[in-house]
Amino acid sequence: MGTFTLKYRAIIYGCMIAYILTGCKKQDDFLNTKPNQALETPTTLADLSNLLNNENVFNRNCDPAISEIASDDVYIQDSAFGSLSLSIERNAYVWAKNMYDATSTQVADWNNPYKMVYYANTVLDALPGIGTTVGNQDQYNQIKGAALFYRSFAFYNLVQTFAMPYDATNSGNQPGIPLRLTSDINLRPQRASEADCYNQIISDLKEAINLLPVIPVYKTQPSQPAANAFLARVYLAIGNYPSALQYANACLDKFNTLSDYNALTSTPTSVSNNFISEDIYHSTMVNYSTITNRRYAYIDSALYSFYSSNDLRKTKFFTILDGLPQYPRFVGSYDFKTNKYSGLAVDEVYLIKAECLVRSGDISNGMTALNTLLIKRWKTGTFVPLTASSQSDALKLVLLERRKELLWRGIRWTDLRRLNKESGSGISINRLVNGTSYSLAPNDVKYAFPIPDIEIQLGGLTQNPR
């Protein structure tokens, strides 16, 4: 190994030590049970487990958020737009051609997922040297499965943010993201094709499933249900509805708990004062003031009007501040620490199942899946099951409820990307900021954010058009 590699691996391991000393914990009630030791190099399974248990790397504020700012989940008033502290927020909100400037030295939406990838690759590279014995096989498998899950989770979020929407007819020619599959920082791969990116994501997840436990110790750790739920999300994103249904069912076969909103104790910024029972895998988005400050961001009043008075989401998800009903503010995160939840939960899996069944022509079972979710969202005794007389009506109902249920979960951007590929969808987003109109048309090239300038310079990567 060369001097250059040793030098920079030492720097990165130093960063790992800092993270482990300050961040190797799982929220509040887990603090007393988590190990707290520094690692010079990972040489044992315990070392590798410590790396993967770093919530600051894998769970907290790690998933891209600029796509959420750019979606129609988020609107802000002119006064709030002018007070945004970061240019990247303003530019994402209006889909600016130039996303980054001198203040954008660190693009967390790119850096944080690739930090996850580096940690996961460090674990995967170290495992063969440690090997297995009769006594450590289960721990070895769980560590490998978790590393594969985390790497695929990061790759998927990067592809949704920095590559164009998936097109089966052209995915082999469309640039995706660099697939970093080793912890060797001297290797700087070019952008793989979108086809290769999704193949890697799916391959990692399928390998992880049988290595992971059915029930994780913590909500912030991956499991078999989480891997199946995530595969369902991935397959839905690329329009492979039969496979999405297959993995949604596989998830629900092992974990199908839905939280009854009638029994939740809400807080001013979340639907519950603890981990919600239907949470499968817990993670949150990068913190930006737009999507974390309820005094800034609001949702479209037209969407708010679709929530019935007996629908508990109307009060669990929203608050009206300063007597301004035209600006309903979102307070419905599944993260009780006030961050914006972007993990995997059972409600999303039921919605995937419902959509895929309806698309296959099984309207009856599709509506049953949808109603199984909704009865847990309405005031006890008031819910009347939804019905549909045609496939198109059923699909409209499912997609509307998906829109209402998964608000501000980092999912809408991908939904816009995939739905606009369908004939007749044509979902445009329009904004009026200080008298200037902005619009994002269906299938616009701006559905892929620019790769950070420093990555273009250092890695010689091909930039996305704007």
mmCIF file of all heavy atoms in Angstrom, residues 389-428:
data_model
loop_
_atom_site.group_PDB
_atom_site.id
_atom_site.type_symbol
_atom_site.label_atom_id
_atom_site.label_comp_id
_atom_site.label_asym_id
_atom_site.label_seq_id
_atom_site.Cartn_x
_atom_site.Cartn_y
_atom_site.Cartn_z
ATOM 1 N N SER A 389 -65.057 1.398 -9.000
ATOM 2 C CA SER A 389 -65.778 0.615 -10.012
ATOM 3 C C SER A 389 -64.916 0.306 -11.223
ATOM 4 O O SER A 389 -65.314 -0.490 -12.075
ATOM 5 C CB SER A 389 -67.030 1.371 -10.463
ATOM 6 O OG SER A 389 -66.689 2.651 -10.977
ATOM 7 N N SER A 390 -63.739 0.912 -11.313
ATOM 8 C CA SER A 390 -62.866 0.678 -12.464
ATOM 9 C C SER A 390 -61.418 0.727 -12.018
ATOM 10 O O SER A 390 -61.088 1.258 -10.939
ATOM 11 C CB SER A 390 -63.103 1.725 -13.550
ATOM 12 O OG SER A 390 -62.669 3.003 -13.117
ATOM 13 N N GLN A 391 -60.551 0.204 -12.867
ATOM 14 C CA GLN A 391 -59.128 0.212 -12.542
ATOM 15 C C GLN A 391 -58.592 1.633 -12.465
ATOM 16 O O GLN A 391 -57.805 1.958 -11.561
ATOM 17 C CB GLN A 391 -58.354 -0.587 -13.595
ATOM 18 C CG GLN A 391 -56.874 -0.732 -13.287
ATOM 19 C CD GLN A 391 -56.132 -1.528 -14.351
ATOM 20 O OE1 GLN A 391 -56.486 -1.497 -15.528
ATOM 21 N NE2 GLN A 391 -55.102 -2.260 -13.946
ATOM 22 N N SER A 392 -59.022 2.489 -13.376
ATOM 23 C CA SER A 392 -58.516 3.870 -13.374
ATOM 24 C C SER A 392 -58.971 4.613 -12.125
ATOM 25 O O SER A 392 -58.182 5.367 -11.523
ATOM 26 C CB SER A 392 -58.977 4.612 -14.632
ATOM 27 O OG SER A 392 -60.395 4.689 -14.685
ATOM 28 N N ASP A 393 -60.213 4.398 -11.689
ATOM 29 C CA ASP A 393 -60.689 5.046 -10.468
ATOM 30 C C ASP A 393 -59.942 4.527 -9.251
ATOM 31 O O ASP A 393 -59.590 5.292 -8.345
ATOM 32 C CB ASP A 393 -62.191 4.808 -10.292
ATOM 33 C CG ASP A 393 -63.032 5.629 -11.256
ATOM 34 O OD1 ASP A 393 -62.491 6.588 -11.850
ATOM 35 O OD2 ASP A 393 -64.223 5.317 -11.427
ATOM 36 N N ALA A 394 -59.683 3.218 -9.219
ATOM 37 C CA ALA A 394 -58.958 2.630 -8.096
ATOM 38 C C ALA A 394 -57.545 3.175 -8.024
ATOM 39 O O ALA A 394 -57.040 3.499 -6.937
ATOM 40 C CB ALA A 394 -58.943 1.109 -8.228
ATOM 41 N N LEU A 395 -56.888 3.308 -9.177
ATOM 42 C CA LEU A 395 -55.521 3.810 -9.186
ATOM 43 C C LEU A 395 -55.475 5.261 -8.721
ATOM 44 O O LEU A 395 -54.566 5.658 -7.970
ATOM 45 C CB LEU A 395 -54.923 3.685 -10.590
ATOM 46 C CG LEU A 395 -53.437 4.045 -10.721
ATOM 47 C CD1 LEU A 395 -52.581 3.176 -9.802
ATOM 48 C CD2 LEU A 395 -52.973 3.901 -12.172
ATOM 49 N N LYS A 396 -56.467 6.066 -9.129
ATOM 50 C CA LYS A 396 -56.521 7.454 -8.673
ATOM 51 C C LYS A 396 -56.661 7.527 -7.158
ATOM 52 O O LYS A 396 -56.011 8.352 -6.493
ATOM 53 C CB LYS A 396 -57.690 8.183 -9.344
ATOM 54 C CG LYS A 396 -57.472 8.480 -10.818
ATOM 55 C CD LYS A 396 -58.712 9.131 -11.434
ATOM 56 C CE LYS A 396 -58.534 9.360 -12.927
ATOM 57 N NZ LYS A 396 -59.777 9.920 -13.537
ATOM 58 N N LEU A 397 -57.508 6.656 -6.595
ATOM 59 C CA LEU A 397 -57.685 6.644 -5.143
ATOM 60 C C LEU A 397 -56.396 6.252 -4.434
ATOM 61 O O LEU A 397 -55.994 6.877 -3.448
ATOM 62 C CB LEU A 397 -58.803 5.669 -4.758
ATOM 63 C CG LEU A 397 -60.237 6.122 -5.023
ATOM 64 C CD1 LEU A 397 -61.218 4.978 -4.754
ATOM 65 C CD2 LEU A 397 -60.593 7.323 -4.151
ATOM 66 N N VAL A 398 -55.735 5.227 -4.934
ATOM 67 C CA VAL A 398 -54.504 4.756 -4.299
ATOM 68 C C VAL A 398 -53.424 5.833 -4.361
ATOM 69 O O VAL A 398 -52.736 6.112 -3.370
ATOM 70 C CB VAL A 398 -54.005 3.452 -4.947
ATOM 71 C CG1 VAL A 398 -52.620 3.092 -4.440
ATOM 72 C CG2 VAL A 398 -54.975 2.311 -4.671
ATOM 73 N N LEU A 399 -53.261 6.450 -5.526
ATOM 74 C CA LEU A 399 -52.223 7.465 -5.670
ATOM 75 C C LEU A 399 -52.521 8.701 -4.834
ATOM 76 O O LEU A 399 -51.593 9.344 -4.310
ATOM 77 C CB LEU A 399 -52.049 7.838 -7.139
ATOM 78 C CG LEU A 399 -51.461 6.738 -8.030
ATOM 79 C CD1 LEU A 399 -51.391 7.203 -9.487
ATOM 80 C CD2 LEU A 399 -50.084 6.314 -7.545
ATOM 81 N N LEU A 400 -53.794 9.043 -4.685
ATOM 82 C CA LEU A 400 -54.150 10.177 -3.827
ATOM 83 C C LEU A 400 -53.806 9.863 -2.377
ATOM 84 O O LEU A 400 -53.239 10.700 -1.657
ATOM 85 C CB LEU A 400 -55.624 10.520 -3.963
ATOM 86 C CG LEU A 400 -56.145 11.631 -3.023
ATOM 87 C CD1 LEU A 400 -55.380 12.931 -3.250
ATOM 88 C CD2 LEU A 400 -57.647 11.837 -3.201
ATOM 89 N N GLU A 401 -54.158 8.654 -1.924
ATOM 90 C CA GLU A 401 -53.856 8.295 -0.542
ATOM 91 C C GLU A 401 -52.350 8.160 -0.336
ATOM 92 O O GLU A 401 -51.841 8.464 0.749
ATOM 93 C CB GLU A 401 -54.573 7.005 -0.151
ATOM 94 C CG GLU A 401 -56.076 7.144 -0.046
ATOM 95 C CD GLU A 401 -56.509 8.250 0.921
ATOM 96 O OE1 GLU A 401 -55.815 8.458 1.947
ATOM 97 O OE2 GLU A 401 -57.525 8.908 0.648
ATOM 98 N N ARG A 402 -51.629 7.717 -1.333
ATOM 99 C CA ARG A 402 -50.166 7.691 -1.247
ATOM 100 C C ARG A 402 -49.638 9.110 -1.069
ATOM 101 O O ARG A 402 -48.739 9.348 -0.258
ATOM 102 C CB ARG A 402 -49.590 7.052 -2.514
ATOM 103 C CG ARG A 402 -48.082 6.949 -2.529
ATOM 104 C CD ARG A 402 -47.574 6.231 -3.773
ATOM 105 N NE ARG A 402 -46.112 6.278 -3.831
ATOM 106 C CZ ARG A 402 -45.310 5.403 -3.238
ATOM 107 N NH1 ARG A 402 -45.828 4.399 -2.553
ATOM 108 N NH2 ARG A 402 -43.997 5.516 -3.323
ATOM 109 N N ARG A 403 -50.196 10.036 -1.820
ATOM 110 C CA ARG A 403 -49.786 11.445 -1.722
ATOM 111 C C ARG A 403 -50.056 11.989 -0.322
ATOM 112 O O ARG A 403 -49.227 12.706 0.247
ATOM 113 C CB ARG A 403 -50.579 12.253 -2.756
ATOM 114 C CG ARG A 403 -50.254 13.741 -2.792
ATOM 115 C CD ARG A 403 -49.046 13.983 -3.644
ATOM 116 N NE ARG A 403 -48.753 15.407 -3.722
ATOM 117 C CZ ARG A 403 -47.936 16.056 -2.909
ATOM 118 N NH1 ARG A 403 -47.336 15.411 -1.929
ATOM 119 N NH2 ARG A 403 -47.705 17.335 -3.065
ATOM 120 N N LYS A 404 -51.200 11.648 0.247
ATOM 121 C CA LYS A 404 -51.597 12.162 1.556
ATOM 122 C C LYS A 404 -50.826 11.503 2.702
ATOM 123 O O LYS A 404 -50.506 12.146 3.696
ATOM 124 C CB LYS A 404 -53.097 11.959 1.758
ATOM 125 C CG LYS A 404 -53.959 12.837 0.849
ATOM 126 C CD LYS A 404 -55.381 12.281 0.693
ATOM 127 C CE LYS A 404 -56.131 12.275 1.995
ATOM 128 N NZ LYS A 404 -57.511 11.738 1.806
ATOM 129 N N GLU A 405 -50.549 10.214 2.558
ATOM 130 C CA GLU A 405 -49.921 9.460 3.646
ATOM 131 C C GLU A 405 -48.416 9.689 3.725
ATOM 132 O O GLU A 405 -47.853 9.757 4.828
ATOM 133 C CB GLU A 405 -50.196 7.960 3.457
ATOM 134 C CG GLU A 405 -49.556 7.047 4.495
ATOM 135 C CD GLU A 405 -50.196 7.133 5.855
ATOM 136 O OE1 GLU A 405 -51.343 7.635 5.950
ATOM 137 O OE2 GLU A 405 -49.577 6.672 6.835
ATOM 138 N N LEU A 406 -47.751 9.783 2.575
ATOM 139 C CA LEU A 406 -46.291 9.789 2.549
ATOM 140 C C LEU A 406 -45.710 11.188 2.359
ATOM 141 O O LEU A 406 -44.584 11.354 1.894
ATOM 142 C CB LEU A 406 -45.784 8.854 1.441
ATOM 143 C CG LEU A 406 -46.269 7.403 1.559
ATOM 144 C CD1 LEU A 406 -45.712 6.557 0.414
ATOM 145 C CD2 LEU A 406 -45.906 6.796 2.907
ATOM 146 N N LEU A 407 -46.453 12.168 2.758
ATOM 147 C CA LEU A 407 -46.034 13.559 2.642
ATOM 148 C C LEU A 407 -44.767 13.803 3.459
ATOM 149 O O LEU A 407 -44.627 13.336 4.592
ATOM 150 C CB LEU A 407 -47.163 14.453 3.153
ATOM 151 C CG LEU A 407 -47.087 15.946 2.907
ATOM 152 C CD1 LEU A 407 -47.112 16.249 1.416
ATOM 153 C CD2 LEU A 407 -48.268 16.645 3.589
ATOM 154 N N TRP A 408 -43.815 14.505 2.840
ATOM 155 C CA TRP A 408 -42.568 14.924 3.498
ATOM 156 C C TRP A 408 -41.776 13.723 4.027
ATOM 157 O O TRP A 408 -41.222 13.757 5.112
ATOM 158 C CB TRP A 408 -42.858 15.909 4.629
ATOM 159 C CG TRP A 408 -43.123 17.294 4.130
ATOM 160 C CD1 TRP A 408 -43.830 17.621 3.002
ATOM 161 C CD2 TRP A 408 -42.724 18.525 4.719
ATOM 162 N NE1 TRP A 408 -43.893 18.971 2.860
ATOM 163 C CE2 TRP A 408 -43.239 19.559 3.903
ATOM 164 C CE3 TRP A 408 -42.011 18.848 5.844
ATOM 165 C CZ2 TRP A 408 -43.021 20.895 4.189
ATOM 166 C CZ3 TRP A 408 -41.813 20.195 6.141
ATOM 167 C CH2 TRP A 408 -42.304 21.199 5.319
ATOM 168 N N ARG A 409 -41.721 12.672 3.228
ATOM 169 C CA ARG A 409 -40.964 11.487 3.609
ATOM 170 C C ARG A 409 -39.793 11.247 2.645
ATOM 171 O O ARG A 409 -39.164 10.191 2.678
ATOM 172 C CB ARG A 409 -41.884 10.254 3.620
ATOM 173 C CG ARG A 409 -43.025 10.313 4.622
ATOM 174 C CD ARG A 409 -42.701 9.583 5.895
ATOM 175 N NE ARG A 409 -42.816 8.162 5.701
ATOM 176 C CZ ARG A 409 -43.925 7.447 5.976
ATOM 177 N NH1 ARG A 409 -45.004 8.035 6.460
ATOM 178 N NH2 ARG A 409 -43.949 6.151 5.792
ATOM 179 N N GLY A 410 -39.504 12.216 1.756
ATOM 180 C CA GLY A 410 -38.440 12.044 0.788
ATOM 181 C C GLY A 410 -38.816 11.130 -0.358
ATOM 182 O O GLY A 410 -37.947 10.660 -1.099
ATOM 183 N N ILE A 411 -40.113 10.892 -0.549
ATOM 184 C CA ILE A 411 -40.608 9.939 -1.545
ATOM 185 C C ILE A 411 -41.239 10.633 -2.747
ATOM 186 O O ILE A 411 -41.241 10.101 -3.855
ATOM 187 C CB ILE A 411 -41.628 8.983 -0.884
ATOM 188 C CG1 ILE A 411 -40.902 8.058 0.106
ATOM 189 C CG2 ILE A 411 -42.396 8.167 -1.902
ATOM 190 C CD1 ILE A 411 -41.822 7.205 0.937
ATOM 191 N N ARG A 412 -41.752 11.823 -2.544
ATOM 192 C CA ARG A 412 -42.529 12.481 -3.595
ATOM 193 C C ARG A 412 -41.709 12.714 -4.867
ATOM 194 O O ARG A 412 -42.225 12.575 -5.978
ATOM 195 C CB ARG A 412 -43.084 13.807 -3.062
ATOM 196 C CG ARG A 412 -43.904 14.604 -4.073
ATOM 197 C CD ARG A 412 -45.097 13.835 -4.594
ATOM 198 N NE ARG A 412 -45.916 14.658 -5.485
ATOM 199 C CZ ARG A 412 -46.925 14.189 -6.221
ATOM 200 N NH1 ARG A 412 -47.249 12.907 -6.173
ATOM 201 N NH2 ARG A 412 -47.613 15.000 -6.991
ATOM 202 N N TRP A 413 -40.441 13.104 -4.734
ATOM 203 C CA TRP A 413 -39.601 13.380 -5.904
ATOM 204 C C TRP A 413 -39.538 12.165 -6.824
ATOM 205 O O TRP A 413 -39.698 12.279 -8.044
ATOM 206 C CB TRP A 413 -38.214 13.785 -5.440
ATOM 207 C CG TRP A 413 -37.258 14.232 -6.502
ATOM 208 C CD1 TRP A 413 -36.164 13.562 -6.962
ATOM 209 C CD2 TRP A 413 -37.285 15.475 -7.227
ATOM 210 N NE1 TRP A 413 -35.505 14.298 -7.924
ATOM 211 C CE2 TRP A 413 -36.170 15.472 -8.100
ATOM 212 C CE3 TRP A 413 -38.140 16.581 -7.212
ATOM 213 C CZ2 TRP A 413 -35.889 16.542 -8.950
ATOM 214 C CZ3 TRP A 413 -37.860 17.644 -8.057
ATOM 215 C CH2 TRP A 413 -36.762 17.619 -8.917
ATOM 216 N N THR A 414 -39.323 10.984 -6.241
ATOM 217 C CA THR A 414 -39.284 9.756 -7.032
ATOM 218 C C THR A 414 -40.639 9.455 -7.643
ATOM 219 O O THR A 414 -40.723 9.004 -8.792
ATOM 220 C CB THR A 414 -38.818 8.573 -6.165
ATOM 221 O OG1 THR A 414 -37.473 8.815 -5.733
ATOM 222 C CG2 THR A 414 -38.840 7.270 -6.951
ATOM 223 N N ASP A 415 -41.711 9.717 -6.906
ATOM 224 C CA ASP A 415 -43.047 9.503 -7.465
ATOM 225 C C ASP A 415 -43.290 10.414 -8.669
ATOM 226 O O ASP A 415 -43.854 9.982 -9.688
ATOM 227 C CB ASP A 415 -44.116 9.742 -6.400
ATOM 228 C CG ASP A 415 -44.339 8.531 -5.508
ATOM 229 O OD1 ASP A 415 -43.753 7.466 -5.787
ATOM 230 O OD2 ASP A 415 -45.097 8.650 -4.531
ATOM 231 N N LEU A 416 -42.884 11.663 -8.568
ATOM 232 C CA LEU A 416 -43.030 12.568 -9.707
ATOM 233 C C LEU A 416 -42.233 12.063 -10.901
ATOM 234 O O LEU A 416 -42.705 12.088 -12.051
ATOM 235 C CB LEU A 416 -42.553 13.974 -9.324
ATOM 236 C CG LEU A 416 -43.436 14.761 -8.355
ATOM 237 C CD1 LEU A 416 -42.683 15.956 -7.804
ATOM 238 C CD2 LEU A 416 -44.725 15.215 -9.041
ATOM 239 N N ARG A 417 -41.036 11.587 -10.650
ATOM 240 C CA ARG A 417 -40.176 11.087 -11.721
ATOM 241 C C ARG A 417 -40.808 9.887 -12.417
ATOM 242 O O ARG A 417 -40.828 9.820 -13.659
ATOM 243 C CB ARG A 417 -38.813 10.701 -11.129
ATOM 244 C CG ARG A 417 -37.941 11.870 -10.751
ATOM 245 C CD ARG A 417 -36.888 11.515 -9.682
ATOM 246 N NE ARG A 417 -36.010 10.419 -10.055
ATOM 247 C CZ ARG A 417 -34.799 10.543 -10.583
ATOM 248 N NH1 ARG A 417 -34.314 11.758 -10.831
ATOM 249 N NH2 ARG A 417 -34.049 9.492 -10.856
ATOM 250 N N ARG A 418 -41.310 8.941 -11.658
ATOM 251 C CA ARG A 418 -41.842 7.721 -12.282
ATOM 252 C C ARG A 418 -43.232 7.944 -12.885
ATOM 253 O O ARG A 418 -43.522 7.443 -13.975
ATOM 254 C CB ARG A 418 -41.884 6.573 -11.276
ATOM 255 C CG ARG A 418 -42.946 6.656 -10.191
ATOM 256 C CD ARG A 418 -42.921 5.442 -9.283
ATOM 257 N NE ARG A 418 -43.879 5.545 -8.192
ATOM 258 C CZ ARG A 418 -45.103 5.051 -8.207
ATOM 259 N NH1 ARG A 418 -45.553 4.398 -9.278
ATOM 260 N NH2 ARG A 418 -45.908 5.186 -7.177
ATOM 261 N N LEU A 419 -44.080 8.725 -12.210
ATOM 262 C CA LEU A 419 -45.439 8.925 -12.721
ATOM 263 C C LEU A 419 -45.431 9.762 -13.993
ATOM 264 O O LEU A 419 -46.271 9.565 -14.880
ATOM 265 C CB LEU A 419 -46.313 9.570 -11.652
ATOM 266 C CG LEU A 419 -46.600 8.696 -10.423
ATOM 267 C CD1 LEU A 419 -47.349 9.476 -9.358
ATOM 268 C CD2 LEU A 419 -47.381 7.444 -10.825
ATOM 269 N N ASN A 420 -44.509 10.706 -14.094
ATOM 270 C CA ASN A 420 -44.439 11.524 -15.309
ATOM 271 C C ASN A 420 -43.965 10.739 -16.520
ATOM 272 O O ASN A 420 -44.072 11.213 -17.653
ATOM 273 C CB ASN A 420 -43.532 12.733 -15.081
ATOM 274 C CG ASN A 420 -44.272 13.884 -14.432
ATOM 275 O OD1 ASN A 420 -45.483 14.028 -14.591
ATOM 276 N ND2 ASN A 420 -43.555 14.699 -13.674
ATOM 277 N N LYS A 421 -43.430 9.545 -16.301
ATOM 278 C CA LYS A 421 -43.077 8.672 -17.415
ATOM 279 C C LYS A 421 -44.311 8.021 -18.035
ATOM 280 O O LYS A 421 -44.255 7.481 -19.146
ATOM 281 C CB LYS A 421 -42.098 7.583 -16.950
ATOM 282 C CG LYS A 421 -40.688 8.075 -16.650
ATOM 283 C CD LYS A 421 -39.956 8.438 -17.930
ATOM 284 C CE LYS A 421 -38.524 8.819 -17.690
ATOM 285 N NZ LYS A 421 -37.826 9.192 -18.948
ATOM 286 N N GLU A 422 -45.415 8.046 -17.298
ATOM 287 C CA GLU A 422 -46.636 7.414 -17.784
ATOM 288 C C GLU A 422 -47.430 8.378 -18.657
ATOM 289 O O GLU A 422 -47.513 9.572 -18.375
ATOM 290 C CB GLU A 422 -47.508 6.964 -16.610
ATOM 291 C CG GLU A 422 -46.847 5.923 -15.725
ATOM 292 C CD GLU A 422 -47.731 5.506 -14.567
ATOM 293 O OE1 GLU A 422 -48.823 6.085 -14.412
ATOM 294 O OE2 GLU A 422 -47.327 4.599 -13.813
ATOM 295 N N SER A 423 -48.016 7.849 -19.685
ATOM 296 C CA SER A 423 -48.829 8.662 -20.589
ATOM 297 C C SER A 423 -50.009 9.271 -19.845
ATOM 298 O O SER A 423 -50.725 8.582 -19.115
ATOM 299 C CB SER A 423 -49.345 7.804 -21.749
ATOM 300 O OG SER A 423 -50.194 8.552 -22.582
ATOM 301 N N GLY A 424 -50.168 10.575 -19.979
ATOM 302 C CA GLY A 424 -51.327 11.247 -19.404
ATOM 303 C C GLY A 424 -51.115 11.817 -18.020
ATOM 304 O O GLY A 424 -51.988 12.512 -17.500
ATOM 305 N N SER A 425 -49.972 11.542 -17.381
ATOM 306 C CA SER A 425 -49.759 12.062 -16.025
ATOM 307 C C SER A 425 -49.474 13.558 -16.072
ATOM 308 O O SER A 425 -50.262 14.369 -15.604
ATOM 309 C CB SER A 425 -48.613 11.311 -15.348
ATOM 310 O OG SER A 425 -48.979 9.977 -15.085
ATOM 311 N N GLY A 426 -48.359 13.950 -16.653
ATOM 312 C CA GLY A 426 -48.061 15.367 -16.883
ATOM 313 C C GLY A 426 -48.156 16.237 -15.650
ATOM 314 O O GLY A 426 -48.885 17.228 -15.650
ATOM 315 N N ILE A 427 -47.424 15.893 -14.577
ATOM 316 C CA ILE A 427 -47.481 16.670 -13.347
ATOM 317 C C ILE A 427 -46.416 17.761 -13.397
ATOM 318 O O ILE A 427 -45.220 17.479 -13.373
ATOM 319 C CB ILE A 427 -47.258 15.772 -12.116
ATOM 320 C CG1 ILE A 427 -48.244 14.598 -12.119
ATOM 321 C CG2 ILE A 427 -47.393 16.588 -10.833
ATOM 322 C CD1 ILE A 427 -47.929 13.534 -11.085
ATOM 323 N N SER A 428 -46.851 19.005 -13.479
ATOM 324 C CA SER A 428 -45.937 20.150 -13.436
ATOM 325 C C SER A 428 -45.960 20.760 -12.042
ATOM 326 O O SER A 428 -46.964 20.684 -11.328
ATOM 327 C CB SER A 428 -46.331 21.209 -14.457
ATOM 328 O OG SER A 428 -46.197 20.728 -15.775
#
